Amino acid sequence: MNKRTTRLAILGAAVAVGALAISTASLPASAADADPGINVVGGTPADEGEYPWMVRLSMGCGGSLLTDQIVLTAAHCVDATGPDTSITASYGSVDLDSPDVVDYQSEYVHVSPTYASSGIDDWALIKLSEPVADAQLLAIAETGDYDEGPFEIMGWGADSEGGSQQQYLLKAEVPFVPDAECADAYGADLDPDTMLCAGVPEGGIDTCQGDSGGPMIARTEAGDPVQVGVVSWGQGCARPGYPGVYTQVSNAAAEILAAADELATVA
């Protein structure tokens, strides 16, 4: 299974309801040989302001604002830990061509040490060169209370497996897939301690190419969003029997928050 570097878009017709996409970055073990697609197939266009913490990254990935100067994304979307001024983060509208979109340049990247050594814990942080004006932030799940869905996925990725990236942000809802069921599809490539699966058995709803690094969210009892997953990998886009695989944020939350605190001090 290839990672969803282009992973989340939502299938559709006139309004580009498309499919999310998976990155083609390195995956765990044999997963690296699988297909590079996964998308929000079967979704609908997001309303302006519905997911105000969403960020589009110039390498073709998504992300979310963890702080006003730090983006949470997938490790397979970036290179190594260290100074990096090559990434542009676009923020401010569901329409990437909107005049409300503001571009921010990266300053430093932190890659999950576990991902760098073993290919699991697929998350990374990007520090921007300046704070985002009027930033809206997305809280991350620090416990597993919301890890069984239902979930919302969103992104600007391909509108079909191998398709084009989207101008407008697309969204969809997907149910939780238990570890045992997900392992039936992916075998030893699935690490249930660090990965979370979501999708429908018959396929048709998923993230896709260009959605890697974007968030999967659940809702608290009060209706507030909380990030439970990072779009990571899967087999194709919205294929029957192959759910999307997401980095399980609750498992890595303490390390993510500690890294963000440290990154905030990096000059």
Side-chain angles (χ1 to χ4, degrees), residues 43-259:
T44 57
D47 293 331
E48 193 67 78
E50 188 172 6
Y51 303 108
W53 21 258
M54 278 295 295
V55 173
R56 180 65 171 172
L57 300 172
S58 55
M59 78 289 282
C61 285
S64 58
L65 281 181
L66 181 64
T67 76
D68 65 356
Q69 202 168 353
I70 294 176
V71 176
L72 173 60
T73 188
H76 75 262
C77 288
V78 297
D79 293 326
T81 294
D84 188 334
T85 60
S86 68
I87 302 167
T88 301
S90 300
Y91 173 83
S93 177
V94 297
D95 177 1
L96 293 178
D97 286 346
S98 168
D100 294 329
V101 171
V102 179
D103 291 338
Y104 295 86
Q105 290 305 122
S106 62
E107 178 177 277
Y108 197 95
V109 169
H110 174 90
V111 176
S112 161
T114 311
Y115 182 85
S117 63
S118 64
I120 59 174
D121 278 337
D122 185 12
W123 62 267
L125 301 177
I126 300 171
K127 183 179 181 181
L128 305 176
S129 60
E130 60 180 309
V132 172
D134 301 318
Q136 299 292 311
L137 309 182
L138 178 59
I140 64 171
E142 298 184 53
T143 70
D145 292 348
Y146 302 103
D147 284 353
E148 293 190 4
F151 306 122
E152 296 170 47
I153 51 178
M154 68 293 301
W156 288 278
D159 61 357
S160 62
E161 188 171 325
S164 300
Q165 303 297 289
Q166 301 298 294
Q167 176 181 339
Y168 297 96
L169 185 70
L170 299 173
K171 65 177 182 177
E173 292 188 2
V174 285
F176 168 70
V177 175
D179 291 340
E181 184 179 333
C182 197
D184 287 342
Y186 295 122
D189 288 331
L190 182 74
D191 179 8
D193 292 333
T194 65
M195 299 173 189
L196 192 62
C197 300
V200 293
E202 64 272 23
I205 301 177
D206 194 6
T207 50
C208 197
Q209 298 153 349
D211 297 314
S212 281
M216 178 170 72
I217 67 167
R219 297 280 176 176
T220 68
E221 290 78 1
D224 297 323
V226 59
Q227 183 167 353
V228 297
V230 177
V231 180
S232 184
W233 61 278
Q235 180 71 46
C237 291
R239 296 183 185 182
Y242 288 99
V245 184
Y246 301 78
T247 303
Q248 189 167 355
V249 170
S250 61
N251 174 75
E255 188 173 1
I256 290 171
L257 293 173

Side-chain angles (χ1 to χ4, degrees), residues 10-19 42-43 159:
I10 302 166
L11 284 180
V15 290
V17 176
D159 61 357

